[in-house]
Amino acid sequence: IGDEMADTKNTIANFFKYLEKTSNENKDILNSSNIISSTKLKLNHIKETDTNTNKTKEKIKLLEGKINDINKKSKKTLEEIENIKKSKNYLEKLNKQEKIKSDEEELKKEVYKLKEMIDFKSLGNTFHINKEKMDTIKNHKESFQNYFHQDYGRSILSLLNEGKLNTPTILIKIKQINDKQEEINKNKKTIKKDETKDLLYQTKNTKLEIENLNNEKTKELKICEKLKVKREETINSIKQELTKINVEITEN
């Protein structure tokens, strides 16, 4: 048994020696084979990268087409807005709006004059025991413009009449103010909706849409650049590997 085990051990040792010898003798062939296999794999990677690059470039092209179409549409909208602003009706509307604004400023001054005519101290002395009426007096004293316009001066006029503090001058001023307010309200109703408002809203949305598309385009350009770098790195790696088996490649 001992002799058989020794023979088996020698046989295995001799086999490994044979394998080592064969491997050494064919080392260059094996290396070349490995390099060629690795090169084939990297070439497939390049092909895959080129496919992804083409898809990315196509997507960029589509995005640019959309951006171009939207820009054309936006340009037409802006031209339409300018044409509206030059129209006779629009200019008349602007004049009306300016007139209303001027009238409202003048009305504020008249309401302030009315406030100066009212003796709030005497009103307070007259109704000091009535909390509800004192609140009305206090509100008008602190914010006369707002509270006067809420009821066209009826509440403060009622207190003036009750306290016998009203005067013909105050009555005339209140009537003038209310007549002017009514005139302003009528003029406001004659002003039609601003035709440029919806168009301007459209241009705002258009700008946002273009911004989103440009962001998406930038993202795709970055992907394209990364794919380009990856391709160049793979080609350089192939070149380096092939030099080991004395193969040199050139790109046209």
Side-chain angles (χ1 to χ4, degrees):
I1 294 173
D3 292 338
E4 289 178 2
M5 290 183 66
D7 290 340
T8 302
K9 183 178 180 181
N10 289 332
T11 300
I12 293 171
N14 290 332
F15 177 72
F16 275 108
K17 286 179 181 179
Y18 171 76
L19 284 178
E20 186 178 359
K21 180 183 178 183
T22 303
S23 177
N24 288 331
E25 289 174 352
N26 297 281
K27 186 176 181 181
D28 291 341
I29 295 174
L30 289 172
N31 285 340
S32 296
S33 178
N34 289 336
I35 290 172
I36 290 169
S37 295
S38 175
T39 300
K40 284 182 178 179
L41 185 61
K42 289 176 181 178
L43 286 172
N44 286 332
H45 287 164
I46 289 175
K47 186 177 180 181
E48 184 180 345
T49 300
D50 288 344
T51 300
N52 291 333
T53 299
N54 289 333
K55 287 181 180 179
T56 304
K57 286 182 178 179
E58 187 62 29
K59 191 170 182 180
I60 291 171
K61 187 177 179 181
L62 289 172
L63 289 169
E64 288 175 341
K66 286 182 180 179
I67 292 169
N68 187 48
D69 289 342
I70 294 172
N71 275 325
K72 286 180 180 178
K73 183 179 177 182
S74 178
K75 186 179 178 181
K76 287 183 180 179
T77 303
L78 290 172
E79 288 174 355
E80 188 176 352
I81 290 171
E82 288 304 311
N83 289 333
I84 290 172
K85 287 183 176 181
K86 292 175 183 176
S87 67
K88 182 181 177 181
N89 289 338
Y90 188 84
L91 294 174
E92 286 178 353
K93 182 176 68 176
L94 288 180
N95 289 333
K96 280 185 179 180
Q97 288 175 330
E98 286 299 317
K99 175 70 166 53
I100 290 171
K101 185 178 178 181
S102 175
D103 288 344
E104 286 178 334
E105 289 299 321
E106 188 62 33
L107 187 64
K108 284 181 182 179
K109 293 177 182 178
E110 293 303 313
V111 173
Y112 179 77
K113 289 179 182 178
L114 172 64
K115 181 184 177 182
E116 294 296 300
M117 296 177 184
I118 297 171
D119 188 349
F120 283 99
K121 184 176 180 180
S122 295
L123 277 174
N125 291 334
T126 302
F127 299 106
H128 66 277
I129 59 172
N130 188 315
K131 184 179 183 307
E132 183 179 352
K133 291 178 181 180
M134 283 302 295
D135 285 343
T136 299
I137 293 168
K138 179 174 178 292
N139 290 336
H140 279 75
K141 187 176 181 180
E142 292 178 354
S143 185
F144 192 79
Q145 293 277 349
N146 291 333
Y147 283 95
F148 178 86
H149 287 301
Q150 282 181 10
D151 62 359
Y152 297 94
R154 283 190 284 270
S155 58
I156 193 68
L157 181 59
S158 175
L159 291 176
L160 288 169
N161 288 332
E162 189 177 344
K164 301 186 185 306
L165 295 169
N166 199 1
T167 65
T169 306
I170 291 176
L171 284 173
I172 291 171
K173 181 60 70 177
I174 290 175
K175 186 176 185 310
Q176 288 175 343
I177 290 171
N178 287 334
D179 287 347
K180 190 64 177 178
Q181 183 65 66
E182 186 177 352
E183 180 187 346
I184 290 172
N185 292 340
K186 284 181 179 179
N187 288 336
K188 283 183 176 180
K189 290 178 181 179
T190 64
I191 296 178
K192 295 179 181 179
K193 180 183 176 182
D194 191 341
E195 298 174 14
T196 66
K197 193 172 182 179
D198 290 339
L199 294 173
L200 287 169
Y201 182 75
Q202 286 179 25
T203 59
K204 184 179 179 180
N205 287 338
T206 298
K207 287 180 181 178
L208 183 60
E209 190 175 357
I210 290 173
E211 184 180 342
N212 291 334
L213 288 170
N214 276 322
N215 289 337
E216 193 174 349
K217 178 186 171 183
T218 300
K219 181 181 175 182
E220 294 301 321
L221 285 170
K222 287 180 180 179
I223 292 173
C224 199
E225 186 60 31
K226 286 180 180 179
L227 289 169
K228 181 182 176 182
V229 172
K230 182 180 178 182
R231 187 181 194 277
E232 290 175 354
E233 289 175 348
T234 305
I235 290 173
N236 289 332
S237 176
I238 290 173
K239 287 179 178 180
Q240 290 174 7
E241 287 293 306
L242 290 179
T243 56
K244 295 177 182 179
I245 56 174
N246 298 320
V247 175
E248 185 176 349
I249 61 171
T250 57
E251 291 184 274
N252 294 328

